[in-house]
Amino acid sequence: LETIVKDYENITWEINPARTTNELVTTNMIALQQITQKLIDHLINHSKLNCPIALRALISEIHNASKLKFIRQFHSIIGSFFFLRFICPAIISPEGFGVAKCSPNEITRRGLILISKLTQSLGNGVRFGKKEEYMIPLNDFIDTNINSINQLFQILILPVDQCELEQL
């Protein structure tokens, strides 16, 4: 995220036609998907190594406690907890979570909000609808990446072994 804040300062990913020109919507949508894909790929490739052991243990316990009663809502339970409580707040306010040294400017912050919206919808397995119609074209991105997010969740719910817990 620090790279995004620093390297992409003043680059807009605005896709709302009410906030930008129609000519830029398609270009910005592609850029938004590319930067979000990098974030998702990073989470998948580094989640077991970089996710704190205590958080992995908690996610595993949430999964164990809910898997029998809420089997069809596995995706939204794990996704809501992990993305809504940890990942998306760090995306929107990276300076508040020690992810970036400086606060993003207004243009960059708006881009981070859009990345967060897309990431949260993907994490919940929920497609965009009438509430934010300008985001509907990103449903293909969600459909394409849903298996990758499920792969991430499978990593996060792995039981934490005793050796790892003793490191706490």
Side-chain angles (χ1 to χ4, degrees), residues 109-159:
R109 177 93 61 200
R110 174 65 182 159
L112 294 173
I113 289 169
L114 291 169
I115 292 168
S116 177
K117 285 182 181 199
L118 182 52
T119 304
Q120 183 66 52
S121 289
L122 179 58
N124 288 343
V126 176
R127 296 172 57 122
F128 293 105
K130 291 188 178 203
K131 181 180 174 189
E132 293 179 303
E133 288 185 12
Y134 66 93
M135 302 281 288
I136 289 174
L138 295 169
N139 285 339
D140 289 340
F141 180 86
I142 292 170
D143 295 342
T144 300
N145 282 283
I146 203 76
N147 288 335
S148 295
I149 289 298
N150 283 331
Q151 177 187 353
L152 171 64
F153 293 162
Q154 292 303 319
I155 293 167
L156 291 174
I157 65 170
L158 288 173

Side-chain angles (χ1 to χ4, degrees), residues 9-163:
E9 188 174 18
N10 294 321
I11 294 177
T12 180
W13 295 299
E14 185 58 67
I15 60 171
N16 185 344
R19 293 177 169 234
T20 191
T21 63
N22 286 335
E23 296 82 32
L24 291 176
V25 168
T26 301
T27 303
N28 291 349
M29 194 161 304
I30 291 167
L32 177 62
Q33 290 177 77
Q34 289 172 340
I35 199 74
T36 305
Q37 188 67 56
K38 285 182 183 180
L39 175 66
I40 298 299
D41 291 346
H42 181 81
L43 287 172
I44 291 166
N45 293 328
H46 301 298
S47 60
K48 187 165 183 187
L49 296 174
N50 294 332
C51 187
I53 294 168
L55 179 57
R56 283 187 28 236
L58 183 57
I59 291 170
S60 182
E61 286 301 313
I62 290 170
H63 173 255
N64 289 335
S66 63
K67 69 182 174 185
L68 296 176
K69 189 170 184 177
F70 303 107
I71 190 71
R72 292 185 182 188
Q73 291 140 339
F74 159 76
H75 196 103
S76 64
I77 290 170
I78 301 299
S80 292
F81 178 74
F82 183 65
F83 284 101
L84 184 64
R85 300 292 178 223
F86 295 97
I87 301 301
C88 291
I91 292 171
I92 292 172
S93 293
E95 73 282 7
F97 288 83
V99 178
K101 293 175 184 148
C102 60
S103 295
N105 63 34
E106 186 178 325
I107 293 169
T108 305
R109 177 93 61 200
R110 174 65 182 159
L112 294 173
I113 289 169
L114 291 169
I115 292 168
S116 177
K117 285 182 181 199
L118 182 52
T119 304
Q120 183 66 52
S121 289
L122 179 58
N124 288 343
V126 176
R127 296 172 57 122
F128 293 105
K130 291 188 178 203
K131 181 180 174 189
E132 293 179 303
E133 288 185 12
Y134 66 93
M135 302 281 288
I136 289 174
L138 295 169
N139 285 339
D140 289 340
F141 180 86
I142 292 170
D143 295 342
T144 300
N145 282 283
I146 203 76
N147 288 335
S148 295
I149 289 298
N150 283 331
Q151 177 187 353
L152 171 64
F153 293 162
Q154 292 303 319
I155 293 167
L156 291 174
I157 65 170
L158 288 173
V160 176
D161 65 38
Q162 192 62 38
C163 292

